[in-house]
Amino acid sequence: MRGATLAGSLALLPLAAACSGGEGDGAAKPKGTRTAVTDAPAAGVVAPAKVEVIAGLTGCKAKIRIEAEELRQGVCHTKAADYLITTFPRDEYQEVWLDSAAMYGGKYLVGSRWVVSAQPKMLEGFRPRIGGTIKQLGSMSPTPGPSTT
């Protein structure tokens, strides 16, 4: 069953990558995160996906800005806003990235070895198309305690 699902999903990849009509950007839960409830993606995206595939499904053509062993990152420029799509070759790299991003806080759309960084309203719109979970990453900075004077 799993092999048939994978084969069917792989067949959709070239179609998804070709559909970029934009304006032309099971891991352990990191500390300080809250997870939103998710639905299955309407597009049936195979994950982990490539930056270009995710970009196409979100309606843009990403410009790759980081090409490294640990990650690939593309930026999408649209009329609505700019956003980042980051993919990882291994779960461990994604975990480290999410732990680092938690220092800054914010909401992210997180899938299997990929993360989309965008305005929260955009993330909600992307989720039905590409899947994933919207995570609120908390700031790791300590909150000031009561003053003693």
Side-chain angles (χ1 to χ4, degrees):
M1 176 70 174
R2 185 175 176 164
T5 302
L6 179 59
S9 297
L10 289 175
L12 293 175
L13 277 176
L15 295 174
C19 296
S20 59
E23 306 291 327
D25 192 295
K29 187 174 174 183
K31 295 177 185 172
T33 63
R34 290 186 306 206
T35 303
V37 176
T38 61
D39 296 323
V45 178
V46 76
K50 294 175 65 173
V51 170
E52 295 82 359
V53 172
I54 296 170
L57 290 169
T58 63
C60 88
K61 182 172 179 169
K63 179 180 178 188
I64 301 299
R65 69 179 211 168
I66 299 175
E67 184 91 46
E69 185 177 323
E70 301 84 11
L71 62 90
R72 283 185 83 227
Q73 187 174 71
V75 62
C76 280
H77 298 289
T78 66
K79 288 181 182 177
D82 295 344
Y83 54 97
L84 299 172
I85 300 168
T86 309
T87 60
F88 308 89
R90 297 177 46 191
D91 292 333
E92 297 81 28
Y93 296 141
Q94 182 179 21
E95 291 172 25
V96 170
W97 191 95
L98 289 169
D99 285 343
S100 298
M103 294 187 315
Y104 303 102
K107 288 187 177 183
Y108 300 85
L109 183 56
V110 180
S112 176
R113 291 196 238 156
W114 56 265
V115 175
V116 175
S117 309
Q119 296 173 355
K121 191 172 192 173
M122 291 183 83
L123 297 177
E124 284 292 341
F126 293 158
R127 195 168 58 86
R129 290 186 258 163
I130 63 175
T133 303
I134 295 176
K135 292 190 177 188
Q136 173 71 49
L137 302 183
S139 175
M140 301 294 266
S141 61
T143 53
S147 67
T148 55
T149 53

